[in-house]
């Protein structure tokens, strides 16, 4: 079995040591590098080729948001999991919009952090619908109204079936659950997800979920 290659990025050496200890103890995870600032990330990614980057949001020089945005613009970019001390935070939301696959709190139990790395490496987001709603509520207001208008314009490009799949992704359903609910095969669900990503210029399921929330698609479903 090929080990999941992980890069740790945090300005606190004690946090990096703790993460390295808990993740390095897993047979299927290899710590390939550590960085104390977002400015070091791209060079380290080039050198170590990680599958997953655990990225602190707040760092003194180049923060995790800026580093995430830079990474996710690259071809064959590694998955990024944001490390934070806050459940609902505008910077976390911006990192997710930039393409982070999810986030974990720094006080999350070790076993859950290991599980999060495994999930992201397998292509599954680390973000529950409840947390998504908390984040969206945190960012409510005039800016949210503007986002809703733009999001509705974007999702208008989806056909009815793709829209149904986007809503299901926004609800946090796995491919198998979507397939059962919409009476299609898992392979067909994956095809629809890929088409949604391509049509909307997104790069992971978290961004589909956020766009569905922005456009109010989940509210429409809840109201039926």
């Amino acid at each position: 079995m090929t080990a999941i290659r992980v890069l740790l990025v945090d300005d606190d050496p004690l946090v990096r040591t703790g993460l390295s200890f808990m993740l390095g103890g897993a047979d299927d995870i290899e710590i390939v590098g550590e960085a104390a600032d977002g400015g070091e990330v791209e060079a380290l990614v080039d050198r170590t080729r990680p599958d997953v980057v655990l990225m602190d949001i707040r760092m003194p020089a180049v923060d995790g948001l800026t580093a995430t945005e830079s990474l996710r613009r690259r071809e064959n970019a590694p998955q990024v999991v944001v490390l934070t001390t806050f459940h609902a935070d505008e910077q976390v939301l911006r990192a997710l919009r930039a393409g982070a696959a999810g986030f974990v709190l720094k006080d999350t139990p070790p076993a859950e952090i290991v599980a999060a790395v495994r999930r992201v490496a397998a292509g599954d987001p680390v973000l529950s619908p409840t947390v998504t709603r908390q984040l969206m509520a945190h960012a409510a207001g005039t800016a949210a109204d503007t986002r809703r208008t733009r999001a509705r314009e974007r999702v208008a490009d989806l056909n009815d079936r793709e829209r149904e799949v986007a809503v299901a992704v926004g609800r946090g359903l796995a491919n198998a659950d979507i397939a059962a609910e919409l009476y299609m095969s898992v392979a067909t669900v994956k095809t629809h997800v890929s088409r949604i990503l391509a049509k909307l210029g997104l790069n992971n399921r978290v961004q589909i979920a956020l766009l569905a929330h922005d456009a109010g698609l989940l509210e429409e479903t809840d109201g039926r």
Side-chain angles (χ1 to χ4, degrees), residues 11 51-52 76 81 106 121 145 172 199:
D11 62 324
D51 301 304
V52 178
N76 301 316
V81 178
K106 289 189 176 181
D145 292 337
K199 274 190 178 182

mmCIF file of all heavy atoms in Angstrom, residues 11 51-52 76 81 106 121 145 172 199:
data_model
loop_
_atom_site.group_PDB
_atom_site.id
_atom_site.type_symbol
_atom_site.label_atom_id
_atom_site.label_comp_id
_atom_site.label_asym_id
_atom_site.label_seq_id
_atom_site.Cartn_x
_atom_site.Cartn_y
_atom_site.Cartn_z
ATOM 1 N N ASP A 11 3.065 27.702 12.113
ATOM 2 C CA ASP A 11 4.170 28.511 12.652
ATOM 3 C C ASP A 11 4.553 28.106 14.074
ATOM 4 O O ASP A 11 5.575 28.532 14.594
ATOM 5 C CB ASP A 11 3.827 30.000 12.607
ATOM 6 C CG ASP A 11 2.625 30.356 13.463
ATOM 7 O OD1 ASP A 11 1.685 29.552 13.531
ATOM 8 O OD2 ASP A 11 2.621 31.451 14.069
ATOM 9 N N ASP A 51 0.569 14.465 -0.972
ATOM 10 C CA ASP A 51 -0.822 14.237 -1.373
ATOM 11 C C ASP A 51 -1.762 15.181 -0.639
ATOM 12 O O ASP A 51 -2.774 15.621 -1.182
ATOM 13 C CB ASP A 51 -1.234 12.792 -1.056
ATOM 14 C CG ASP A 51 -0.354 11.775 -1.755
ATOM 15 O OD1 ASP A 51 -0.251 11.830 -2.992
ATOM 16 O OD2 ASP A 51 0.244 10.931 -1.047
ATOM 17 N N VAL A 52 -1.409 15.471 0.620
ATOM 18 C CA VAL A 52 -2.244 16.311 1.479
ATOM 19 C C VAL A 52 -1.365 17.314 2.208
ATOM 20 O O VAL A 52 -0.282 16.971 2.687
ATOM 21 C CB VAL A 52 -3.010 15.457 2.523
ATOM 22 C CG1 VAL A 52 -3.840 16.345 3.455
ATOM 23 C CG2 VAL A 52 -3.907 14.432 1.836
ATOM 24 N N ASN A 76 -2.256 19.545 -10.821
ATOM 25 C CA ASN A 76 -1.965 18.417 -9.918
ATOM 26 C C ASN A 76 -1.692 18.894 -8.494
ATOM 27 O O ASN A 76 -0.787 18.405 -7.816
ATOM 28 C CB ASN A 76 -0.765 17.611 -10.440
ATOM 29 C CG ASN A 76 -1.000 17.062 -11.828
ATOM 30 O OD1 ASN A 76 -2.071 16.534 -12.121
ATOM 31 N ND2 ASN A 76 -0.015 17.197 -12.701
ATOM 32 N N VAL A 81 -6.040 20.655 3.751
ATOM 33 C CA VAL A 81 -6.935 20.644 4.905
ATOM 34 C C VAL A 81 -6.512 21.782 5.815
ATOM 35 O O VAL A 81 -5.350 21.860 6.222
ATOM 36 C CB VAL A 81 -6.867 19.307 5.667
ATOM 37 C CG1 VAL A 81 -7.774 19.357 6.905
ATOM 38 C CG2 VAL A 81 -7.288 18.150 4.774
ATOM 39 N N LYS A 106 -7.865 22.511 15.754
ATOM 40 C CA LYS A 106 -6.587 22.079 16.327
ATOM 41 C C LYS A 106 -6.774 21.206 17.565
ATOM 42 O O LYS A 106 -5.860 20.461 17.936
ATOM 43 C CB LYS A 106 -5.716 23.293 16.654
ATOM 44 C CG LYS A 106 -5.179 23.987 15.414
ATOM 45 C CD LYS A 106 -4.155 25.045 15.752
ATOM 46 C CE LYS A 106 -3.571 25.658 14.498
ATOM 47 N NZ LYS A 106 -2.538 26.677 14.782
ATOM 48 N N ALA A 121 -7.425 12.319 1.202
ATOM 49 C CA ALA A 121 -6.560 11.631 0.238
ATOM 50 C C ALA A 121 -7.369 10.730 -0.686
ATOM 51 O O ALA A 121 -7.001 10.510 -1.844
ATOM 52 C CB ALA A 121 -5.497 10.814 0.973
ATOM 53 N N ASP A 145 -25.795 38.430 -0.224
ATOM 54 C CA ASP A 145 -26.804 38.693 -1.255
ATOM 55 C C ASP A 145 -26.160 38.759 -2.628
ATOM 56 O O ASP A 145 -26.685 38.234 -3.612
ATOM 57 C CB ASP A 145 -27.536 40.000 -0.964
ATOM 58 C CG ASP A 145 -28.408 39.903 0.289
ATOM 59 O OD1 ASP A 145 -28.777 38.775 0.652
ATOM 60 O OD2 ASP A 145 -28.691 40.951 0.883
ATOM 61 N N GLY A 172 -24.267 16.918 1.724
ATOM 62 C CA GLY A 172 -23.241 16.084 2.336
ATOM 63 C C GLY A 172 -23.359 14.612 2.034
ATOM 64 O O GLY A 172 -22.732 13.788 2.705
ATOM 65 N N LYS A 199 -18.120 22.294 -15.727
ATOM 66 C CA LYS A 199 -18.990 23.381 -16.164
ATOM 67 C C LYS A 199 -18.809 24.642 -15.332
ATOM 68 O O LYS A 199 -18.835 25.762 -15.860
ATOM 69 C CB LYS A 199 -20.466 22.945 -16.082
ATOM 70 C CG LYS A 199 -21.001 22.215 -17.285
ATOM 71 C CD LYS A 199 -22.516 22.060 -17.169
ATOM 72 C CE LYS A 199 -23.100 21.377 -18.396
ATOM 73 N NZ LYS A 199 -24.579 21.259 -18.305
#
